[in-house]
Amino acid sequence: MVRAGLTAERLARAGAELADEVGFDQVTVSAVARRFDVKVASLYSHVKSSHDLKTRIALLALGELADRGAAALAGRAGKDALAALANVYRDYAREHPGRYDAARLRLDPATAAAGAGGRHAGMARAVLRGYDLAEPDRTHAVRLLGSVFHGYVSLEAAGGFSHSAPDSQETWTRILDALDALLRNWPAERPGPAERPGPAERPGPAE
Amino acid sequence: MVRAGLTAERLARAGAELADEVGFDQVTVSAVARRFDVKVASLYSHVKSSHDLKTRIALLALGELADRGAAALAGRAGKDALAALANVYRDYAREHPGRYDAARLRLDPATAAAGAGGRHAGMARAVLRGYDLAEPDRTHAVRLLGSVFHGYVSLEAAGGFSHSAPDSQETWTRILDALDALLRNWPAERPGPAERPGPAERPGPAE
DNA sequence: GTAGGTTACCTAAAGGCATTAGGCAATTCC
DNA sequence: GGAATTGCCTAATGCCTTTAGGTAACCTAC
């Protein structure tokens, strides 16, 4: 019996590859075992459960993403940095759809913090150093960037923007323009009418 | 033997309830059968497969969301409409997390179109009638709104903004302010330097 | 260099979900 | 009321997860 040399690390890597090939939801302890030509039960000495395996894949992906982000951000500022970081997420999702899905896995806060969780928020904060925003607007902006990046990339992956004009690439470019403009021109607090009108009554025209 | 009165419709509704209670990924043909106190195989006369069941739940959720959106938009314009539609998505996701997850299911284009697929884009377009945007910027803006709404709501559901200041509600309010400002002030094409600098060279400071 | 301990992978088994085939009972339609 | 139809059933297969306990390979030391 030749030993396969399994480790939690190698299992996660194999799972990540599998995810990119057949989809993250198809990643199963059995499938990974098959890939190593090993019996299923053998994996349970290295990972606690199917969920544990998936968590490790998620952490792997988050780490890779953070690495790419850090590399892309080095030596850039302002809109240049904004676009670079945004493209890291989008490109990663296109190159590694399974891993990107994995990165979206619900992690409990402790696990996320132990992994690359904080690095991502840190990168968004770094981008915003190129703009003139004080707290708490800086945090609001961090969350906006996260929302747009994640939202756009998932909708694009789901096929939301294919088969319809204009091109998804063009929209992406223009959205980055728009975000840049918005960050350079962040509105002061309370510029408009009531934020949250009741569901029935009509509080008058908005303008 | 008393008949349970199963229909695809009722199965989808039960599945939606189940999703909100225990999570969409826990929705299984077996679990729904249990809920009707019926044997698993019986469901297969009404739905083709597990995937078929999940698709029906997704379409149910998308329809409910579109109904709420239409109701919220009636008689509103401008920022008021923007906030109303945005809150529909966020509130729905908070009230019905399982259904909201279901609505995120990858649907093939034909299925999505047959359901409420188009209504959602239509609602975003309706909101944008309150702003001065011509094509193709209007489409870019539709996609931006979709990305922000979906992105924010999923990150919030994943717990991304809890346990940290400022409050998620405050960020949401300020993001809507910001989007309103952005839409009233949408930048013209090509305001900045190269959108996509190469990975290594540094094209100079952004400003 | 081989004895002992540890580690890595195995066999076996139980339990859950998805799916199909074929049967009988409840409803429906003349 | 009898025939046709429909609705739910039993039975069976196959894949997945997880645990318990066994055996063979490796490592350590004398």
Side-chain angles (χ1 to χ4, degrees):
Chain A
M1 173 179 25
V2 188
R3 296 193 177 187
L6 306 181
T7 56
E9 181 62 27
R10 291 189 63 201
L11 294 180
R13 251 202 301 277
E17 284 164 24
L18 199 57
D20 286 335
E21 289 164 21
V22 302
F24 184 57
D25 46 332
Q26 302 297 314
V27 173
T28 161
V29 180
S30 299
V32 174
R34 239 172 274 133
R35 189 165 259 247
F36 281 98
D37 209 19
V38 137
K39 296 298 171 179
V40 190
S42 309
L43 301 213
Y44 282 85
S45 330
H46 304 280
V47 297
K48 272 207 308 293
S49 64
S50 178
H51 183 257
D52 180 32
L53 173 64
K54 286 178 183 156
T55 299
R56 286 170 194 275
I57 298 173
L59 291 174
L60 174 72
L62 286 169
E64 284 182 355
L65 252 174
D67 290 345
R68 285 193 183 201
L73 246 35
R76 291 199 227 270
K79 184 179 178 189
D80 199 20
L82 175 69
L85 183 60
N87 282 321
V88 162
Y89 287 106
R90 191 162 89 117
D91 292 346
Y92 190 81
R94 291 151 75 105
E95 284 171 43
H96 299 294
R99 283 159 145 98
Y100 188 79
D101 263 12
R104 261 25 289 166
L105 188 67
R106 206 97 100 216
L107 299 178
D108 66 297
T111 312
R119 291 175 69 196
H120 290 274
M123 293 191 299
R125 285 208 129 66
V127 166
L128 290 176
R129 272 200 280 281
Y131 298 89
D132 186 33
L133 284 173
E135 287 301 350
D137 285 327
R138 199 169 243 191
T139 299
H140 298 321
V142 167
R143 293 173 175 178
L144 174 62
L145 290 186
S147 300
V148 176
F149 295 166
H150 166 44
Y152 191 89
V153 166
S154 343
L155 292 182
E156 187 178 37
F161 308 145
S162 39
H163 318 308
S164 68
D167 209 69
S168 180
Q169 174 59 45
E170 198 192 323
T171 294
W172 180 245
T173 302
R174 298 291 286 126
I175 284 184
L176 294 182
D177 291 348
L179 283 178
D180 174 61
L182 175 60
L183 292 173
R184 279 189 281 106
N185 231 330
W186 191 264
E189 190 124 11
R190 299 274 107 209
E195 199 65 52
R196 226 195 144 112
E201 94 288 18
R202 189 174 162 211
E207 272 64 24
Chain B
M1 170 178 26
V2 188
R3 296 193 177 186
L6 307 180
T7 56
E9 181 63 27
R10 291 189 64 201
L11 294 179
R13 252 202 301 277
E17 285 164 25
L18 200 59
D20 286 335
E21 290 163 21
V22 301
F24 184 57
D25 46 333
Q26 302 296 315
V27 173
T28 162
V29 180
S30 300
V32 174
R34 240 173 272 135
R35 187 164 261 246
F36 280 99
D37 209 19
V38 137
K39 298 297 173 180
V40 191
S42 309
L43 301 212
Y44 282 85
S45 330
H46 303 280
V47 296
K48 273 206 307 291
S49 65
S50 178
H51 184 257
D52 180 31
L53 173 64
K54 286 177 184 158
T55 299
R56 286 170 194 274
I57 298 172
L59 291 174
L60 174 72
L62 286 169
E64 285 182 355
L65 253 175
D67 289 345
R68 285 193 183 202
L73 247 34
R76 290 199 226 270
K79 183 180 179 189
D80 199 20
L82 174 69
L85 183 60
N87 282 322
V88 162
Y89 287 105
R90 189 160 91 119
D91 292 346
Y92 190 80
R94 290 151 77 107
E95 284 171 43
H96 299 295
R99 283 158 147 97
Y100 187 78
D101 264 12
R104 260 29 285 168
L105 188 67
R106 210 96 101 209
L107 300 177
D108 66 297
T111 312
R119 292 174 68 196
H120 290 275
M123 294 191 298
R125 287 209 128 68
V127 165
L128 291 177
R129 272 199 281 280
Y131 297 89
D132 186 32
L133 285 173
E135 289 300 351
D137 285 327
R138 199 169 244 192
T139 299
H140 298 322
V142 166
R143 292 173 175 178
L144 173 62
L145 290 186
S147 300
V148 175
F149 296 167
H150 167 45
Y152 191 89
V153 166
S154 346
L155 292 181
E156 187 178 37
F161 308 145
S162 40
H163 318 309
S164 69
D167 208 70
S168 179
Q169 173 60 45
E170 198 192 323
T171 295
W172 180 244
T173 301
R174 298 290 287 126
I175 283 184
L176 294 182
D177 291 347
L179 283 178
D180 173 61
L182 175 60
L183 292 173
R184 278 189 282 106
N185 232 330
W186 190 264
E189 191 124 10
R190 298 273 107 209
E195 199 65 52
R196 228 197 143 112
E201 96 287 20
R202 182 166 169 220
E207 265 67 23

